[in-house]
Structure formats: structure tokens, C-alpha cells
């Protein structure tokens, strides 16, 4: 969508990419999961995690499709802060089933500054696990992916945008 948009990462943009329109569509969500699963297998990820709300449908689709394909990958959702009630967790999902030092891929629908992804990375690492891949549907090429790579993480995007909001598949 083109116009003037305030971004969650701060600042404004002349275009807005709403990944949930894609990932909450049954067919498109399936195809996103099918695109991500080979990446997870290649890095031997034992789970997929992502920040709520952008990653929720991605994590769920990947987890369900992985089960249907006979190689289940548990999904984890990272809250912005720990709940103040119940289990008071920052990470939801079958975390205890992973054991210690599990290999986890972190995913989000878009990367601008990378702050949501870095928050999820920090939560996964604080829980005692290793982040083996960082994945986004769209890299907006506004510094976030560069910062994630600078910090030593293996970053991959399925799509990337230029300054005008033109999106292309990453080869």
C-alpha cells in the first residue's frame, strides 16, 4: 500500500507492507511455510520463534505444515514483555520440550530496523537456546538486516524492497 505510514520501528515510509494479509490467507500462508521449511532444514533448526503479532501466523503455518510433512517443527511466540499473570512467560509454546541449547530460527513478517527480531533473538537466547537463522518475509533494506548480520546472525529474506517500495523475490 502506498501513502504516508508511521512504522512500528519508528519513522515514516511512503509504503506499507502488511505481511499478515499474506500469512493469514490459507493458500498464501501454506506457500510461505513451504518456502521457509527448507531453510529450517538446512540450518537444522529444532523450533521456529517470532515476535507477536507479525510472526504469529508464520510460526503457526510453519509448525502445522512441518507436521503434515512428517518433520514437525515446534512454534514459539515471543511476547513484547512477560505476562503479569499465569505462567508469566515471555515465550509461549512448547519451550520445555526442546531441552537445553536448542537450535531455533527466528522469523518475522518484515524487517525495518530489526528491533522486533532482535527482541525475539534476545528472548530465545535468554531462555538458553541458540539462534541459528533469522528469517523475514520482507527486508525493507533500512538497516535492520545489516545490523542483525553485524551482530553475527545468519539473516535471510524471501523478498526485498527498494526505496520506492518495489518488491522483488530474493534469489
Amino acid at each position: 500500500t502506498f501513502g504516508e505510514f508511521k512504522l512500528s520501528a519508528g519513522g515514516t515510509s511512503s509504503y506499507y507492507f502488511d505481511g499478515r494479509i499474506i500469512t493469514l490467507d490459507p493458500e498464501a500462508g501454506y506457500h510461505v511455510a513451504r518456502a521457509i521449511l527448507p531453510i529450517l532444514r538446512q540450518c537444522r533448526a529444532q523450533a521456529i520463534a517470532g515476535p507477536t503479532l507479525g510472526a504469529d501466523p508464520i510460526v503457526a503455518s510453519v509448525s502445522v505444515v512441518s507436521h503434515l510433512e512428517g518433520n514437525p517443527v515446534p512454534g514459539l511466540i515471543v511476547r513484547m514483555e512477560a505476562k503479569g499473570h499465569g505462567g508469566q512467560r515471555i515465550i509461549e509454546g512448547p519451550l520445555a520440550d526442546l531441552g537445553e541449547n536448542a537450535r531455533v530460527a527466528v522469523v518475522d513478517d518484515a524487517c525495518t530496523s530489526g528491533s522486533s527480531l532482535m527482541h525475539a533473538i534476545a528472548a530465545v537466547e535468554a531462555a538458553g537456546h541458540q539462534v541459528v537463522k533469522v528469517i523475514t518475509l520482507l527486508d525493507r533494506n533500512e538497516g535492520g538486516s545489516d545490523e542483525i548480520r553485524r551482530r553475527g546472525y545468519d539473516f535471510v529474506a524471501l523478498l526485498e524492497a527498494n526505496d520506492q517500495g518495489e518488491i522483488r523475490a530474493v534469489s
Side-chain angles (χ1 to χ4, degrees), residues 61-83:
S61 292
V62 168
S63 188
V64 169
V65 172
S66 72
H67 170 75
L68 293 173
E69 292 185 353
N71 189 14
V73 177
L76 307 170
I77 299 297
V78 180
R79 295 174 175 274
M80 291 314 289
E81 56 187 49
K83 287 186 350 179

